[in-house]
Amino acid sequence: MRVALVTGAARGIGAATVNHLARDGWAVLALDACAGPDAAPYALPDVADLEAVAAPHAEVEAVVADVRDRPALDAAVARALDRWGRLDAVVACAGIVGGGRPLWETDEAELDLLWDVDAKGVWHTAAATVPALLAGPDPSGARFVAVASAAGTHGLFRMAAYNAAKHAVVGIVRGLAADLVGTGVTAVAVSPGSTDTAMLRATAALYDATTDDLAAHQLLRRALRPEEVAATLVFCCSREAAVLNGSVVSADGGFQA
Protein backbone atom coordinates (compact mmCIF):
# COMPACT_ATOMS: atom_id res chain seq x y z
CA MET A 1 0.00 0.00 0.00
CA ARG A 2 1.33 3.39 -1.00
CA VAL A 3 1.06 6.20 1.54
CA ALA A 4 0.40 9.90 0.98
CA LEU A 5 0.31 12.98 3.18
CA VAL A 6 -2.10 15.74 2.15
CA THR A 7 -2.23 19.20 3.72
CA GLY A 8 -5.29 21.46 3.50
CA ALA A 9 -7.32 18.26 3.58
CA ALA A 10 -10.51 19.39 5.34
CA ARG A 11 -12.32 20.78 2.31
CA GLY A 12 -12.09 21.82 -1.32
CA ILE A 13 -9.31 20.48 -3.50
CA GLY A 14 -7.51 18.94 -0.52
CA ALA A 15 -10.55 16.94 0.58
CA ALA A 16 -11.22 15.81 -3.00
CA THR A 17 -7.60 14.67 -3.28
CA VAL A 18 -7.83 12.62 -0.09
CA ASN A 19 -11.01 10.96 -1.35
CA HIS A 20 -9.52 10.18 -4.76
CA LEU A 21 -6.33 8.72 -3.29
CA ALA A 22 -8.29 6.60 -0.83
CA ARG A 23 -10.53 5.24 -3.59
CA ASP A 24 -7.40 4.30 -5.51
CA GLY A 25 -6.14 2.24 -2.57
CA TRP A 26 -3.73 4.71 -0.96
CA ALA A 27 -3.38 5.21 2.76
CA VAL A 28 -3.54 8.92 3.55
CA LEU A 29 -2.56 11.12 6.46
CA ALA A 30 -4.96 14.05 6.06
CA LEU A 31 -3.74 17.29 7.65
CA ASP A 32 -5.47 20.59 8.20
CA ALA A 33 -5.06 23.50 10.62
CA CYS A 34 -8.82 23.41 11.29
CA ALA A 35 -8.87 27.09 12.21
CA GLY A 36 -12.67 27.11 12.18
CA PRO A 37 -15.47 29.46 11.19
CA ASP A 38 -14.08 32.40 13.17
CA ALA A 39 -10.72 32.38 11.38
CA ALA A 40 -9.43 35.43 9.54
CA PRO A 41 -9.64 36.61 6.84
CA TYR A 42 -12.60 34.26 6.21
CA ALA A 43 -14.19 31.16 7.70
CA LEU A 44 -12.08 28.02 7.52
CA PRO A 45 -12.93 24.36 8.20
CA ASP A 46 -12.89 22.90 11.69
CA VAL A 47 -11.99 19.53 13.20
CA ALA A 48 -15.41 18.08 12.38
CA ASP A 49 -14.88 18.89 8.70
CA LEU A 50 -11.52 17.11 8.67
CA GLU A 51 -12.87 14.09 10.51
CA ALA A 52 -15.75 13.88 8.04
CA VAL A 53 -13.25 13.60 5.18
CA ALA A 54 -11.39 10.77 6.92
CA ALA A 55 -14.39 8.88 8.31
CA PRO A 56 -15.45 6.92 5.19
CA HIS A 57 -11.96 5.47 4.68
CA ALA A 58 -10.31 2.92 6.98
CA GLU A 59 -6.82 3.91 5.83
CA VAL A 60 -7.24 7.67 6.13
CA GLU A 61 -6.19 9.31 9.38
CA ALA A 62 -7.04 12.91 10.28
CA VAL A 63 -4.37 15.01 11.97
CA VAL A 64 -4.74 18.64 13.04
CA ALA A 65 -1.55 20.42 11.99
CA ASP A 66 -0.78 23.92 10.76
CA VAL A 67 1.72 24.16 7.89
CA ARG A 68 3.24 27.17 9.65
CA ASP A 69 4.24 24.85 12.50
CA ARG A 70 7.28 22.82 11.45
CA PRO A 71 7.33 20.64 14.62
CA ALA A 72 3.68 19.70 13.99
CA LEU A 73 4.59 18.63 10.47
CA ASP A 74 7.54 16.62 11.76
CA ALA A 75 5.19 14.89 14.19
CA ALA A 76 2.74 14.14 11.39
CA VAL A 77 5.44 12.51 9.31
CA ALA A 78 6.47 10.45 12.32
CA ARG A 79 2.85 9.37 12.73
CA ALA A 80 2.63 8.24 9.09
CA LEU A 81 5.84 6.24 9.42
CA ASP A 82 4.71 4.73 12.70
CA ARG A 83 1.38 3.60 11.26
CA TRP A 84 2.33 2.58 7.74
CA GLY A 85 6.12 2.42 7.70
CA ARG A 86 6.61 4.55 4.59
CA LEU A 87 5.72 7.77 2.79
CA ASP A 88 5.41 7.77 -1.00
CA ALA A 89 3.72 11.04 -1.93
CA VAL A 90 3.00 14.46 -0.49
CA VAL A 91 0.37 16.91 -1.73
CA ALA A 92 0.92 20.39 -0.28
CA CYS A 93 -2.56 21.80 -0.76
CA ALA A 94 -2.97 24.11 2.25
CA GLY A 95 -3.53 27.71 1.30
CA ILE A 96 -5.61 30.84 1.77
CA VAL A 97 -6.42 33.78 -0.43
CA GLY A 98 -6.39 37.52 0.18
CA GLY A 99 -6.44 40.74 -1.75
CA GLY A 100 -8.88 43.36 -2.96
CA ARG A 101 -6.52 46.35 -2.85
CA PRO A 102 -3.54 47.48 -4.92
CA LEU A 103 -0.08 46.56 -3.66
CA TRP A 104 0.61 49.97 -2.14
CA GLU A 105 -2.58 49.79 -0.07
CA THR A 106 -2.17 46.15 1.01
CA ASP A 107 -1.67 45.71 4.74
CA GLU A 108 1.64 44.12 5.66
CA ALA A 109 -0.16 41.71 7.98
CA GLU A 110 -2.03 40.30 4.97
CA LEU A 111 1.24 39.84 3.09
CA ASP A 112 2.77 38.08 6.09
CA LEU A 113 -0.20 35.72 6.45
CA LEU A 114 -0.26 34.74 2.78
CA TRP A 115 3.50 34.33 2.72
CA ASP A 116 3.54 32.21 5.87
CA VAL A 117 0.71 29.88 4.83
CA ASP A 118 0.93 29.69 1.04
CA ALA A 119 4.69 29.91 0.48
CA LYS A 120 6.49 29.01 3.69
CA GLY A 121 3.83 26.39 4.36
CA VAL A 122 4.97 24.55 1.21
CA TRP A 123 8.60 25.03 2.24
CA HIS A 124 7.95 23.58 5.71
CA THR A 125 5.96 20.71 4.26
CA ALA A 126 8.78 19.82 1.90
CA ALA A 127 11.43 20.14 4.58
CA ALA A 128 9.49 17.81 6.88
CA THR A 129 8.48 15.21 4.31
CA VAL A 130 11.19 14.91 1.68
CA PRO A 131 13.63 13.04 3.97
CA ALA A 132 10.93 10.38 4.47
CA LEU A 133 10.37 10.17 0.71
CA LEU A 134 14.09 9.71 0.17
CA ALA A 135 14.37 7.08 2.90
CA GLY A 136 11.37 5.05 1.72
CA PRO A 137 11.42 1.68 -0.01
CA ASP A 138 10.69 3.16 -3.44
CA PRO A 139 12.20 6.64 -3.84
CA SER A 140 12.07 6.38 -7.63
CA GLY A 141 8.27 6.39 -7.29
CA ALA A 142 8.08 9.07 -4.60
CA ARG A 143 6.46 12.39 -5.47
CA PHE A 144 6.20 15.86 -3.93
CA VAL A 145 3.29 17.85 -5.39
CA ALA A 146 2.54 21.45 -4.45
CA VAL A 147 -0.63 23.33 -5.32
CA ALA A 148 0.31 26.67 -6.85
CA SER A 149 -2.29 28.69 -8.79
CA ALA A 150 -2.92 30.47 -12.03
CA ALA A 151 -1.70 33.39 -9.88
CA GLY A 152 1.71 31.70 -9.87
CA THR A 153 2.03 32.52 -13.58
CA HIS A 154 -0.25 35.49 -14.18
CA GLY A 155 -0.50 38.82 -12.42
CA LEU A 156 -4.00 39.10 -11.01
CA PHE A 157 -5.71 42.42 -10.36
CA ARG A 158 -5.41 43.63 -6.75
CA MET A 159 -3.88 40.36 -5.55
CA ALA A 160 -0.19 41.25 -5.46
CA ALA A 161 0.50 39.47 -2.16
CA TYR A 162 -1.25 36.29 -3.31
CA ASN A 163 0.61 36.52 -6.63
CA ALA A 164 3.90 36.80 -4.78
CA ALA A 165 3.18 33.80 -2.57
CA LYS A 166 2.05 31.57 -5.42
CA HIS A 167 4.99 32.57 -7.63
CA ALA A 168 7.14 31.54 -4.66
CA VAL A 169 5.49 28.11 -4.62
CA VAL A 170 6.62 27.62 -8.21
CA GLY A 171 10.15 28.69 -7.28
CA ILE A 172 10.24 26.37 -4.29
CA VAL A 173 9.19 23.41 -6.42
CA ARG A 174 11.72 24.15 -9.14
CA GLY A 175 14.50 24.52 -6.59
CA LEU A 176 13.43 21.32 -4.85
CA ALA A 177 13.39 19.41 -8.14
CA ALA A 178 16.95 20.55 -8.78
CA ASP A 179 18.02 19.47 -5.30
CA LEU A 180 16.48 16.02 -5.89
CA VAL A 181 18.48 15.26 -9.02
CA GLY A 182 19.65 11.65 -9.03
CA THR A 183 17.45 10.55 -6.12
CA GLY A 184 14.42 9.35 -8.06
CA VAL A 185 12.11 11.56 -5.99
CA THR A 186 10.43 14.24 -8.09
CA ALA A 187 8.69 17.55 -7.45
CA VAL A 188 5.97 19.27 -9.45
CA ALA A 189 3.61 22.23 -9.04
CA VAL A 190 -0.01 22.13 -10.15
CA SER A 191 -1.71 25.45 -10.88
CA PRO A 192 -5.52 25.34 -10.70
CA GLY A 193 -7.76 28.02 -12.08
CA SER A 194 -11.04 29.13 -10.54
CA THR A 195 -12.36 26.07 -8.73
CA ASP A 196 -15.74 25.72 -7.04
CA THR A 197 -14.54 25.99 -3.44
CA ALA A 198 -14.97 28.22 -0.42
CA MET A 199 -11.73 29.92 -1.42
CA LEU A 200 -13.22 30.91 -4.79
CA ARG A 201 -16.25 32.38 -3.03
CA ALA A 202 -13.91 34.33 -0.73
CA THR A 203 -12.03 35.57 -3.80
CA ALA A 204 -15.23 36.70 -5.48
CA ALA A 205 -16.17 38.61 -2.34
CA LEU A 206 -12.91 40.58 -2.55
CA TYR A 207 -14.09 41.97 -5.89
CA ASP A 208 -17.79 42.21 -5.05
CA ALA A 209 -18.22 39.76 -7.93
CA THR A 210 -19.67 36.31 -8.46
CA THR A 211 -17.84 33.03 -8.95
CA ASP A 212 -19.26 32.96 -12.48
CA ASP A 213 -17.53 36.29 -13.13
CA LEU A 214 -14.20 34.74 -12.15
CA ALA A 215 -14.80 31.51 -14.07
CA ALA A 216 -15.48 33.57 -17.21
CA HIS A 217 -11.70 34.07 -17.46
CA GLN A 218 -11.33 30.36 -18.28
CA LEU A 219 -11.84 28.94 -21.75
CA LEU A 220 -14.13 26.32 -20.23
CA ARG A 221 -16.38 29.20 -19.16
CA ARG A 222 -17.21 27.48 -15.89
CA ALA A 223 -15.61 26.89 -12.54
CA LEU A 224 -13.60 23.72 -12.22
CA ARG A 225 -14.81 21.03 -9.85
CA PRO A 226 -12.48 20.13 -6.97
CA GLU A 227 -12.58 16.52 -8.15
CA GLU A 228 -11.21 17.54 -11.55
CA VAL A 229 -8.21 19.25 -10.02
CA ALA A 230 -7.77 16.37 -7.57
CA ALA A 231 -7.55 13.94 -10.48
CA THR A 232 -4.59 15.90 -11.82
CA LEU A 233 -2.93 15.96 -8.40
CA VAL A 234 -3.40 12.21 -7.98
CA PHE A 235 -1.85 11.55 -11.37
CA CYS A 236 1.10 13.68 -10.30
CA CYS A 237 1.53 11.30 -7.35
CA SER A 238 1.88 8.31 -9.67
CA ARG A 239 5.03 6.60 -10.88
CA GLU A 240 4.08 7.63 -14.43
CA ALA A 241 4.32 11.31 -13.45
CA ALA A 242 8.11 11.22 -13.23
CA VAL A 243 8.23 12.99 -16.60
CA LEU A 244 6.66 16.08 -14.99
CA ASN A 245 9.60 16.63 -12.64
CA GLY A 246 10.27 20.34 -12.13
CA SER A 247 7.22 21.33 -14.17
CA VAL A 248 4.23 23.56 -13.55
CA VAL A 249 1.10 21.72 -14.62
CA SER A 250 -1.68 24.12 -15.59
CA ALA A 251 -4.98 22.60 -14.45
CA ASP A 252 -6.83 25.85 -15.05
CA GLY A 253 -9.43 25.23 -17.74
CA GLY A 254 -7.59 27.58 -20.08
CA PHE A 255 -7.24 30.51 -17.68
CA GLN A 256 -6.67 33.92 -19.27
CA ALA A 257 -6.00 36.89 -17.00
Side-chain angles (χ1 to χ4, degrees), residues 23 44-46 73 103 112 142 168 174 178-179 181 183 186 223 232 250:
R23 290 196 306 269
L44 295 174
D46 58 19
L73 293 172
L103 181 150
D112 290 344
R174 286 176 169 160
D179 287 344
V181 166
T183 68
T186 64
T232 300
S250 295

Side-chain angles (χ1 to χ4, degrees), residues 31 65 69-81 124-125 127-129 131:
L31 275 62
D69 183 349
R70 172 63 190 276
L73 293 172
D74 290 336
V77 173
R79 174 57 189 157
L81 297 178
H124 290 321
T125 302
T129 60

Side-chain angles (χ1 to χ4, degrees), residues 12-13 16 192-197 218 220 222-232 251:
I13 294 170
S194 296
T195 306
D196 186 14
T197 63
Q218 296 170 173
L220 283 180
R222 64 166 176 83
L224 308 176
R225 297 188 300 276
E227 294 77 14
E228 292 177 304
V229 179
T232 300

Side-chain angles (χ1 to χ4, degrees), residues 77-99:
V77 173
R79 174 57 189 157
L81 297 178
D82 181 62
R83 176 167 176 175
W84 294 294
R86 60 191 291 165
L87 186 62
D88 300 281
V90 177
V91 181
C93 195
I96 57 172
V97 72

Side-chain angles (χ1 to χ4, degrees), residues 201-226:
R201 291 186 285 277
T203 305
L206 295 172
Y207 295 114
D208 194 23
T210 69
T211 56
D212 287 342
D213 293 332
L214 301 184
H217 290 274
Q218 296 170 173
L219 296 178
L220 283 180
R221 295 297 189 262
R222 64 166 176 83
L224 308 176
R225 297 188 300 276

Side-chain angles (χ1 to χ4, degrees), residues 140 143 184 186-188 235-236 238-249:
S140 66
R143 307 286 175 251
T186 64
V188 64
F235 174 76
C236 290
S238 70
R239 295 186 63 86
E240 293 78 9
V243 295
L244 299 176
N245 189 29
S247 297
V248 180
V249 178

